[in-house]
Amino acid sequence: MLKMVTFFQGLPGQQSVPGTLDLPGSPQKPRSTSEAESETSMSEASSEDLMPSQEAPEGEEESAKKKEKKSKGLANMFSVFTKGKKKKKDQPRLSDPEVQSKSRPEEDGPLPTVEELKEALELGRLEVAWQVLALERQLEAAAAAGGTSDEELVWRQSKVEALYVLLRDQVLRVLRRPLEAAPERLSQALAVVSQEELEDRRASRGPLATALAITRPRRWLQLWRGVVAEVAAERLDAQPAFVPEGRSEAENRFLHMGRTMREDMEVVVERLKPLFPEEFNVVHTYAESYHEHFATHLCTLAQFELCERDTYLLLLWVQNFYPNDILNSPKLAQELQGIRLGSLLPPKQIRLLEAVFLSNEVTNVKQLMTRALELESQRWAQDVAPQSLDGRRHSELAIDILQAQSRAGWAAMLTHCSLQIISQGQTKAENITSDVGMQIKQLLLVELAALLRSYQRVFDEFLEKSKLLRNYRVNIIANINNCLSFRTSVEQRWQIPQDSLNRLVEPLKDLKAHGFDTLLQSLFSDLKPLFKKFTQTRWAKPVETLEEIITTVSVSLPEFSELQDCFREELMEAVHLHLVKEYIIRLSKRRLVLKTAEQQQQLAKHILANADTIQHFCTENGSTATWLHAALPTISEIIRLQDPSAIKIEVATYATWYPDFSKGHLNAILAIKGNLPSSEVRSIRNILDINTGVQELSRPLFSLIKVA
């Protein structure tokens, strides 16, 4: 599987975007519109509006003395939150009794004025948050007790709400960039949100006085999640600091977003998770926010008509890089295991993109293979000699990657190698998913089969029209060798069933057979007059005649040394078959009739000696056609024997070895035995009517021999 790190390495020196999670002390980012609006709403309230009413509780002159004492109490309250040094099991939960008791404001003594609280909050002093809460509770108590006019209650509530707006903005500003805040200040902000969540629950259990507006639930935890979503959008939408050349805009965007999400989530896991209470679900919240924005961006991109490369890259990120290299990266896999983020694109959209990718890839593969075949056939027509690799003639059509890389100057030819083209297409598909790889496998096999049929047709045209070219024969050898490259690569790459493989490479078998026939045509033509000498001399000089035949074959063999070993053996088997076949043809001409047993035994002796010479020569030069070894010796034995019963046994045995041995062939052999009565000939011939249950013929011999 391709790794996303290879893409990440393409962006060295990517810098942090200001105002982000990355490190404390990063430059401040301009405040968002929501923050600006919040501050505007607070600034529009005049100092007169924030003054306490005349009916406010007495004892304000003692508030300054009490203030310091209360602040110390709040500091103790906020200490329940860790500064990143405690383990997860020590982190407080909102439902813990100690949190609720420590978060409850004390009610003895006067509270600061609204103006004092406003000034404290504008200075970012979050420790006065409990006093704002105390004002709210005091207001609720006054409304519940009665005796205060509705106008007064509404007026006082507006002051409290204005303080809450300011407190909310200060808290969210800290939580927007948590790593830029001091640990104690971050703990205070988290404690305020936790306390507000508790107050929301408390308020839901009892009705407010009718004169007061409903201000709870305030849902500050939800507001914090919204802030996280804004941060995720800012981080993912930011322009990368370094944009390498040669990549499309979509590719650079995928790379930036993927790298940013992974690195930011690692920061969340390593640095924020220890600081946040468990109820914040900080890892879950950040992961969902980044995922949703990433998905939104890709869904929008998928609506446009993408180029082929961007379609492939989009699928690669959605189906491979994102789930495997981001969500399942070593630092995140365990943390994100229980979070069901899902896919970046809907299944229907993914299927559509996969269909487009498959169509594009198959079309490209087909065009590239067709072009590769055209270039190869042009080299044949231009009489260009094929390359020689390790003493073997080599065609460029099916060259594989390892061979190309090991030879200087061949790298540029890789794009013109059909098996590489197909291999690259399947590799791209498998990089998306194994399922897409299986789909394209079937499609590419269809295209490969079509290519092989075209290959055979073009090669046959070359055989027919280019006989006078100087490199005609070595190009034939190179293309025969090419059949092995095709078959081996297909077997190793796809491991398809044997019957399917045989059907696929059937054109290669025909190509090889036609190549062999052409290479051996001149040799067999040279041998024809030599074989005629057997009958012309009435088998008077069989040893000398065979020596001429063997010498002629030996002279032609060095040319075939540039064939692959398996094909050289196969070609030598064809030569072996031809020698045996032509020898039998000469024996079947009915021109030799021997009347005496001595004459027949003498001929049998010559045949047996010639058979041994042919077998030894062919085997020594690579023929593995052991099935031909009995062909001539058995005929020799039939000619030697005089007892009809013994002849019948030999004939019956011979028919099991060579099922295409017919009565016509037998008649031609028995015609040599001039002393055999006609009745015995019919009796011996009838032995072939007996069904011996032999298997269907797999290798033809006598079916290649025509007899009168």
Side-chain angles (χ1 to χ4, degrees):
M1 179 182 297
L2 291 177
K3 290 296 180 183
M4 187 173 64
V5 68
T6 61
F7 282 92
F8 284 171
Q9 289 172 350
L11 290 177
Q14 183 179 8
Q15 298 176 356
S16 302
V17 177
T20 65
L21 294 172
D22 292 350
L23 291 170
S26 298
Q28 292 292 323
K29 181 183 180 298
R31 287 168 289 186
S32 66
T33 304
S34 61
E35 293 173 342
E37 291 176 351
S38 299
E39 292 192 6
T40 302
S41 63
M42 189 65 222
S43 64
E44 290 176 352
S46 66
S47 59
E48 181 180 355
D49 292 334
L50 292 172
M51 287 293 292
S53 68
Q54 296 178 355
E55 297 180 6
E58 296 179 359
E60 290 180 356
E61 65 277 3
E62 300 178 7
S63 62
K65 298 179 181 180
K66 298 287 185 178
K67 189 172 183 180
E68 182 178 352
K69 180 179 179 181
K70 300 300 181 183
S71 299
K72 293 181 179 180
L74 277 173
N76 293 332
M77 179 188 77
F78 286 125
S79 67
V80 300
F81 295 104
T82 70
K83 299 181 181 180
K85 298 181 180 180
K86 295 185 179 180
K87 297 181 180 179
K88 180 177 178 181
K89 65 180 182 179
D90 295 328
Q91 294 175 353
R93 300 174 59 91
L94 296 180
S95 57
D96 292 344
E98 62 270 20
V99 174
Q100 298 184 35
S101 61
K102 291 183 180 182
S103 300
R104 185 177 298 113
E106 302 177 21
E107 299 181 357
D108 56 326
L111 294 172
T113 65
V114 172
E115 182 66 32
E116 289 173 335
L117 291 175
K118 171 181 176 295
E119 292 177 358
L121 290 174
E122 287 177 340
L123 294 175
R125 295 173 56 195
L126 298 182
E127 63 270 18
V128 301
W130 77 269
Q131 294 167 322
V132 177
L133 176 60
L135 284 180
E136 182 184 19
R137 290 187 177 181
Q138 191 179 71
L139 177 62
E140 292 173 359
T148 305
S149 67
D150 290 349
E151 291 78 4
E152 175 66 19
L153 291 174
V154 170
W155 182 83
R156 291 173 62 183
Q157 187 179 36
S158 69
K159 309 305 176 187
V160 173
E161 291 307 308
L163 292 174
Y164 266 116
V165 168
L166 188 54
L167 176 61
R168 178 200 65 195
D169 292 345
Q170 290 289 349
V171 168
L172 294 182
R173 183 175 291 112
V174 172
L175 297 183
R176 186 180 192 88
R177 303 177 184 85
L179 295 180
E180 295 179 8
E184 182 178 358
R185 183 168 175 77
L186 175 59
S187 297
Q188 291 174 346
L190 293 171
V192 171
V193 175
S194 299
Q195 183 61 44
E196 284 300 304
E197 288 296 301
L198 290 174
E199 289 301 311
D200 283 349
R201 294 185 201 143
R202 182 186 65 81
S204 65
R205 293 194 291 267
L208 281 176
T210 56
L212 297 178
I214 298 176
T215 58
R216 290 190 182 276
R218 300 186 189 278
R219 297 188 175 91
W220 282 18
L221 193 58
Q222 184 174 336
L223 293 178
W224 166 71
R225 295 191 183 104
V227 169
V228 172
E230 291 178 4
V231 170
E234 291 172 3
R235 291 284 293 151
L236 296 179
D237 289 342
Q239 291 298 320
F242 174 76
V243 179
E245 297 181 358
R247 292 197 178 117
S248 67
E249 181 180 354
E251 187 174 356
N252 286 324
R253 176 54 54 188
F254 295 154
L255 180 57
H256 165 72
M257 295 177 75
R259 179 174 185 172
T260 299
M261 178 174 179
R262 189 174 74 174
E263 292 180 349
D264 286 6
M265 285 306 305
E266 289 174 355
V267 170
V268 170
V269 169
E270 295 173 355
R271 301 183 62 186
L272 290 189
K273 184 182 177 183
L275 302 177
F276 276 65
E278 184 178 352
E279 286 77 6
F280 277 70
N281 262 341
V282 64
V283 175
H284 191 158
T285 301
Y286 273 92
E288 282 191 337
S289 296
Y290 275 77
H291 173 85
E292 289 175 4
H293 192 75
F294 206 154
T296 299
H297 182 86
L298 295 193
C299 284
T300 301
L301 182 64
Q303 303 304 316
F304 294 92
E305 185 175 351
L306 302 174
C307 67
E308 293 180 11
R309 178 172 176 79
D310 287 348
T311 299
Y312 170 62
L313 288 173
L314 181 56
L315 285 171
L316 196 61
W317 276 91
V318 171
Q319 298 285 71
N320 184 346
F321 288 162
Y322 184 75
N324 296 322
D325 293 287
I326 296 180
L327 302 186
N328 202 34
S329 65
K331 293 182 179 180
L332 300 180
Q334 186 175 357
E335 296 293 337
L336 302 180
Q337 189 173 13
I339 305 176
R340 298 181 179 273
L341 295 178
S343 175
L344 290 172
L345 289 178
K348 183 177 180 180
Q349 187 70 50
I350 292 175
R351 300 288 87 80
L352 178 61
L353 289 170
E354 287 177 348
V356 172
F357 164 76
L358 291 172
S359 176
N360 290 340
E361 200 62 29
V362 170
T363 299
N364 289 339
V365 166
K366 183 176 181 179
Q367 292 174 348
L368 289 172
M369 289 194 303
T370 300
R371 179 58 178 158
L373 182 56
E374 290 176 356
L375 292 173
E376 182 72 4
S377 61
Q378 287 174 11
R379 283 191 282 269
W380 306 339
Q382 293 167 1
D383 204 20
V384 177
Q387 297 285 339
S388 181
L389 180 64
D390 297 330
R392 305 290 186 267
R393 289 294 177 177
H394 188 79
S395 169
E396 298 166 9
L397 190 60
I399 186 174
D400 58 59
I401 294 175
L402 293 178
Q403 289 172 331
Q405 289 179 341
S406 66
R407 301 175 62 194
W410 281 57
M413 299 178 184
L414 294 180
T415 56
H416 306 307
C417 303
S418 54
L419 286 177
Q420 260 185 252
I421 295 167
I422 291 178
S423 178
Q424 290 169 356
Q426 186 174 8
T427 299
K428 288 174 65 177
E430 290 173 345
N431 286 338
I432 297 174
T433 64
S434 59
D435 181 60
V436 176
M438 288 299 298
Q439 292 181 55
I440 204 169
K441 172 184 175 180
Q442 302 305 319
L443 298 173
L444 293 180
L445 284 175
V446 171
E447 295 303 324
L448 178 58
L451 170 78
L452 295 181
R453 290 192 295 270
S454 298
Y455 182 24
Q456 179 200 344
R457 183 174 61 255
V458 172
F459 183 70
D460 286 346
E461 293 176 358
F462 167 73
L463 294 180
E464 183 66 27
K465 300 178 181 179
S466 305
K467 295 179 180 179
L468 299 180
L469 295 179
R470 182 180 59 181
N471 293 304
Y472 176 71
R473 295 177 68 82
V474 290
N475 269 314
I476 294 175
I477 291 174
N479 280 281
I480 292 174
N481 288 339
N482 201 34
C483 296
L484 179 63
S485 299
F486 269 115
R487 183 177 185 111
T488 302
S489 297
V490 171
E491 287 177 334
Q492 294 176 349
R493 182 66 184 176
W494 283 300
Q495 300 178 351
I496 60 178
Q498 192 63 39
D499 56 342
S500 299
L501 176 63
N502 291 337
R503 287 195 300 271
L504 177 66
V505 300
E506 190 66 32
L508 297 178
K509 294 180 180 179
D510 294 338
L511 184 152
K512 178 188 64 179
H514 296 170
F516 280 165
D517 290 344
T518 303
L519 290 176
L520 295 173
Q521 186 177 13
S522 59
L523 171 62
F524 292 169
S525 296
D526 293 339
L527 293 178
K528 191 170 185 178
L530 297 179
F531 273 103
K532 285 183 178 181
K533 287 185 178 182
F534 283 115
T535 52
Q536 290 170 350
T537 61
R538 297 180 61 80
W539 299 88
K541 299 179 179 180
V543 175
E544 294 82 353
T545 300
L546 186 60
E547 284 180 356
E548 287 187 64
I549 292 172
I550 296 299
T551 300
T552 302
V553 175
S554 298
V555 171
S556 67
L557 291 183
E559 177 187 25
F560 306 135
S561 64
E562 294 184 307
L563 284 167
Q564 294 289 351
D565 292 344
C566 61
F567 293 137
R568 191 169 64 254
E569 292 174 0
E570 195 171 340
L571 181 133
M572 198 60 215
E573 183 175 341
V575 172
H576 192 172
L577 173 61
H578 183 78
L579 296 179
V580 172
K581 180 194 72 172
E582 289 297 319
Y583 199 99
I584 294 175
I585 288 175
R586 292 300 135 188
L587 286 173
S588 305
K589 287 297 183 178
R590 296 177 182 267
R591 296 180 182 178
L592 180 65
V593 179
L594 303 176
K595 298 290 187 178
T596 67
E598 290 77 10
Q599 291 174 325
Q600 295 171 17
Q601 290 172 358
Q602 184 65 26
L603 176 62
K605 182 179 179 181
H606 288 316
I607 294 173
L608 189 62
N610 285 346
D612 183 65
T613 300
I614 292 173
Q615 176 182 329
H616 178 75
F617 171 77
C618 292
T619 302
E620 189 177 57
N621 284 280
S623 172
T624 58
T626 56
W627 63 281
L628 290 172
H629 290 177
L632 294 178
T634 304
I635 291 177
S636 170
E637 188 68 8
I638 291 173
I639 294 174
R640 186 188 68 82
L641 292 172
Q642 300 299 310
D643 181 13
S645 298
I647 294 174
K648 289 179 182 180
I649 293 174
E650 288 296 324
V651 169
T653 303
Y654 200 56
T656 62
W657 293 338
Y658 305 100
D660 57 347
F661 182 62
S662 67
K663 289 182 179 181
H665 297 109
L666 179 58
N667 281 337
I669 299 300
L670 293 178
I672 298 174
K673 301 174 71 66
N675 61 346
L676 192 64
S678 299
S679 59
E680 294 294 346
V681 171
R682 286 193 299 270
S683 177
I684 295 172
R685 188 174 58 202
N686 289 338
I687 200 70
L688 295 179
D689 293 332
I690 300 175
N691 184 2
T692 59
V694 296
Q695 297 180 350
E696 183 180 351
L697 174 66
S698 58
R699 296 186 181 94
L701 173 57
F702 286 93
S703 59
L704 303 175
I705 301 172
K706 295 180 180 181
V707 291

